[in-house]
Amino acid sequence: MLLQRLIMESSSLLLLWAMGDSPAARALATAAGMAAQRELLIMERQLDGDLPEPVVPAGVKIRTFVPGEDEREWLRVNAAAFAHHPEQALIDADDLADRMAEPWFDPKGFFVATIDGTMVGFHWTKQHQDQLGEVYVLGVEPSAGGRGLGKALLLTGLLSLRERGNTRVELYVEADHRAAIGLYLTYGFATV
């Protein structure tokens, strides 16, 4: 079996992704002595319904990302917002530059929130084909949490995606991130 060979020949801990929680994937993992460690949900919503205008907390300004100026601050906020995330927390300047070099990158769809000029949150959207937008990553620095900043950033991005002609939007979220899932459910997302 290919999986057994991979396990035997791996020189370090072998981590695998299973696309979907199918009975076949579970059976294969169980037979190989593997156990699920994480679950990633895909959530989606249509963009044809009403979206409320964002309520931006007092003292906060939301603007678009400025390439060549905002990278260092974004890396700081991203690291703080995702300190316990196994991938997102590890993004460094090279990773960010690689993403910004992708054909889908558009700073007009990358929103940052500032207080007195200091970045405290962001919502980076992504454009796919077929009128599909994505909440690529949404993060708020922990010290700025609890003020409604995540809601304001989410709605800012959703309205922007709709203005760009998208009819639906998707996102990926860790299944154990209850606060994020609650926010997404509040604004019409459902697990697909």
Side-chain angles (χ1 to χ4, degrees), residues 6 15 55 76 87 101 104 138 150 177:
L6 283 171
L15 301 174
V55 177
R76 179 188 61 76
E87 290 98 26
W104 56 260
L138 172 68
H177 196 324

Side-chain angles (χ1 to χ4, degrees), residues 46-65:
Q46 297 298 312
L47 286 173
D48 55 0
D50 288 337
L51 283 171
E53 285 297 318
V55 177
V56 180
V60 174
K61 290 186 177 27
I62 296 179
R63 62 171 175 80
T64 54
F65 183 89

Side-chain angles (χ1 to χ4, degrees), residues 3-16 34:
L3 180 57
Q4 290 172 337
R5 179 114 185 238
L6 283 171
I7 292 169
M8 288 176 18
E9 292 191 18
S10 178
S11 61
S12 62
L13 180 65
L14 183 63
L15 301 174
L16 300 172
M34 302 180 104

Side-chain angles (χ1 to χ4, degrees), residues 27-177:
L28 182 62
T30 300
M34 302 180 104
Q37 299 295 312
R38 293 170 58 200
E39 182 180 4
L40 191 63
L41 302 178
I42 302 171
M43 299 182 82
E44 205 173 273
R45 71 158 282 161
Q46 297 298 312
L47 286 173
D48 55 0
D50 288 337
L51 283 171
E53 285 297 318
V55 177
V56 180
V60 174
K61 290 186 177 27
I62 296 179
R63 62 171 175 80
T64 54
F65 183 89
V66 179
E69 294 179 20
D70 286 331
E71 288 85 348
R72 176 183 257 161
E73 275 289 281
W74 184 84
L75 288 166
R76 179 188 61 76
V77 174
N78 181 70
F82 292 96
H84 302 295
H85 193 278
E87 290 98 26
Q88 191 68 28
L90 301 178
I91 292 179
D92 63 16
D94 290 336
D95 297 323
L96 178 57
D98 288 346
R99 285 167 175 82
M100 291 172 60
E102 290 288 333
W104 56 260
F105 176 73
D106 183 354
K108 292 182 293 227
F110 191 166
F111 302 94
V112 298
T114 63
I115 296 175
D116 296 327
T118 300
M119 192 182 301
V120 294
F122 60 89
H123 181 185
W124 191 350
T125 67
K126 187 175 182 180
Q127 182 65 55
H128 296 278
Q129 296 178 359
D130 300 324
Q131 299 172 308
L132 173 65
E134 181 180 340
V135 173
Y136 184 55
V137 62
L138 172 68
V140 175
E141 188 175 275
S143 65
R147 303 179 193 180
L149 188 51
K151 293 175 192 175
L153 284 163
L154 176 63
L155 288 169
T156 298
L158 294 179
L159 288 167
S160 170
L161 287 167
R162 185 167 67 188
E163 288 169 8
R164 289 186 286 174
N166 291 285
T167 58
R168 61 192 175 97
V169 61
E170 71 178 5
L171 60 84
Y172 297 79
V173 63
E174 298 286 338
D176 63 355
H177 196 324

